[in-house]
Amino acid sequence: MSNSTRVSLSEKSKLHVEHLTPAIGSVLSAPIEELVAGLHSEEIVDLLEQRGVVVFRDLDLTDEQQMAFTQTLGESEKGTKITKITMDPLENPNADYIKGAFYWHIDGTMSEVPIFASVMSAKRLSPTGGNTEFSNTYAAFDALSDEEKATVEKLQVVHMLEAAQRYVNPEPSYETLSSWQEFEPNTLPLLWKHRSGRKSLVLGSTASHIEGMGLREGTALLTKLRSWATQDQFVYSHKWQLGDLVIWDNTGTMHRATPYPLDCGRLMYRTQVAGFEPFA
C-alpha cells in the first residue's frame, strides 16, 4: 500500500480514507459510535459511488450495530433482517442456491430496481480461499473505445435465473429446470444510464443473450465485455479478516467469491440498503 493515498475527508471528521487501487476500493476508519450514529453516512454513500467498495478493518460490529449502521445509509432492504451467507445447510436452507456466488454477478438483475448496497461482516473464515472480488463496472465502461461505447449503448440483454444456475448445475433435472423457469426473464439495457449522469455495464451470470443478435455473436460479446470488466485494473480482491465490514455499491460493481471448501463453515452476515434507481 505504499502508493495509496491517506486523507481525512474534513478537518472535523474522524473518518479517514485510504485508497486500495486507482479504480476501486478504499479502506475507511472511524469510531464505531460515530458510524452507528450516522455521522459519516453521507460521506460513505458518496465514496461508494466514487470507489465502488469501502472496507472497515477489524470493526467487529454486533448484529444490532450492523443493522443500525446499515439503516444510516438508506432504507433497509426487507426490513431489519440479517442474512447468513454460508454453504452450511444447517444455517442456510438456500445453500445450494448461493453456490452461484462463485461467479461474477450483480444482485437483483431479475428485478426492475436492484438493491443499492450490501453490507457484509465476517464471522467465520475459510482456511483457504474465500476472498470476495469486486469489479468496477463504471470504470470498465469509461475505458471502452468510443466505437464500443456506441455499440453497447443500443443493446438489450435478457437475464434469466436459469442462466446463472447452469453455472452450478449444467445438467439439471426437468423438475429443477421447471423450478428455475418459474422466474420470468428480465430484459435490461446493457448500458445503465444512471441519474447521476454516469454509465455502467450490466453484466454477470444471469445474462443469457442479447436481443436481436445471433446467439453465438451475442455470447461472444457478453463474454468479451465480462473479460474486459474483470481485468486487474478494474478489480479489488478483499482478503477477509475476522471483524471486517465491507460495503459495495451494487449499482456500479459486479462481485464473486473465490473458491473455498464448502464444508469449512465460512459465515458472513449480510444486510442490504434498498435500491431507489431502476435499471431503465
Side-chain angles (χ1 to χ4, degrees):
M1 296 192 185
S2 58
N3 294 326
S4 61
T5 302
R6 187 174 180 84
V7 295
S8 176
L9 293 184
S10 70
E11 292 182 1
K12 295 181 180 180
S13 174
K14 294 183 181 179
L15 181 69
H16 295 276
V17 184
E18 185 175 347
H19 297 326
L20 294 164
T21 77
I24 182 171
S26 298
V27 174
L28 311 186
S29 60
I32 289 177
E33 60 272 15
E34 293 186 5
L35 296 175
V36 173
L39 299 186
H40 306 293
S41 297
E42 185 176 344
E43 294 166 304
I44 291 170
V45 170
D46 287 344
L47 271 170
L48 277 174
E49 184 177 343
Q50 296 168 30
R51 304 292 302 161
V53 181
V54 298
V55 176
F56 291 91
R57 290 287 193 188
D58 304 317
L59 203 57
D60 200 23
L61 296 183
T62 66
D63 296 355
E64 293 76 14
Q65 288 172 331
Q66 180 170 338
M67 197 65 249
F69 173 55
T70 301
Q71 291 171 336
T72 72
L73 302 176
E75 182 179 346
S76 296
E77 182 77 357
K78 300 178 182 177
T80 58
K81 183 178 180 181
I82 289 181
T83 302
K84 292 182 178 181
I85 306 299
T86 178
M87 297 297 175
D88 183 349
L90 297 179
E91 293 195 83
N92 179 12
N94 296 316
D96 282 341
Y97 169 76
I98 67 166
K99 290 177 182 176
F102 293 117
Y103 305 95
W104 288 110
H105 63 285
I106 298 171
D107 292 333
T109 51
M110 302 311 299
S111 305
E112 295 305 317
V113 180
I115 66 163
F116 165 58
S118 287
V119 181
M120 186 174 288
S121 59
K123 301 299 181 181
R124 288 199 304 265
L125 302 182
S126 170
T128 60
N131 290 7
T132 302
E133 297 183 331
F134 302 94
S135 159
N136 188 327
T137 55
Y138 283 123
F141 171 76
D142 289 341
L144 290 173
S145 69
D146 289 343
E147 181 179 358
E148 289 169 322
K149 289 177 180 177
T151 297
V152 165
E153 190 162 6
K154 305 171 186 177
L155 299 177
Q156 299 282 313
V157 178
V158 178
H159 289 258
M160 299 194 298
L161 175 67
E162 66 181 275
Q165 289 301 300
R166 282 186 182 276
Y167 282 75
V168 179
N169 183 2
E171 294 185 346
S173 66
Y174 178 72
E175 290 74 19
T176 297
L177 178 63
S178 297
S179 70
W180 296 346
Q181 291 186 341
E182 291 177 6
F183 296 85
E184 292 294 324
N186 195 25
T187 301
L188 301 174
L190 181 50
L191 178 63
W192 191 351
K193 301 177 182 178
H194 295 267
R195 295 172 181 174
S196 66
R198 300 182 72 193
K199 299 175 181 179
S200 65
L201 296 169
V202 182
L203 298 166
S205 59
T206 57
S208 169
H209 59 277
I210 298 176
E211 282 194 336
M213 187 177 288
L215 183 60
R216 294 181 67 190
E217 181 185 5
T219 299
L221 179 56
L222 289 172
T223 302
K224 180 181 179 181
L225 289 170
R226 185 193 63 210
S227 296
W228 171 263
T230 55
Q231 294 179 93
D232 287 347
Q233 68 260 37
F234 305 129
V235 170
Y236 166 63
S237 181
H238 183 72
K239 183 174 178 61
W240 290 93
Q241 301 172 15
L242 284 178
D244 282 359
L245 187 83
V246 175
I247 314 169
W248 65 92
D249 175 2
N250 183 63
T251 70
T253 63
M254 287 191 293
H255 63 281
R256 69 175 180 181
T258 61
Y260 59 88
L262 299 185
D263 61 354
C264 70
R266 179 182 185 270
L267 176 64
M268 304 286 163
Y269 278 12
R270 186 190 69 192
T271 47
Q272 295 180 312
V273 182
F276 54 85
E277 183 177 7
F279 284 108

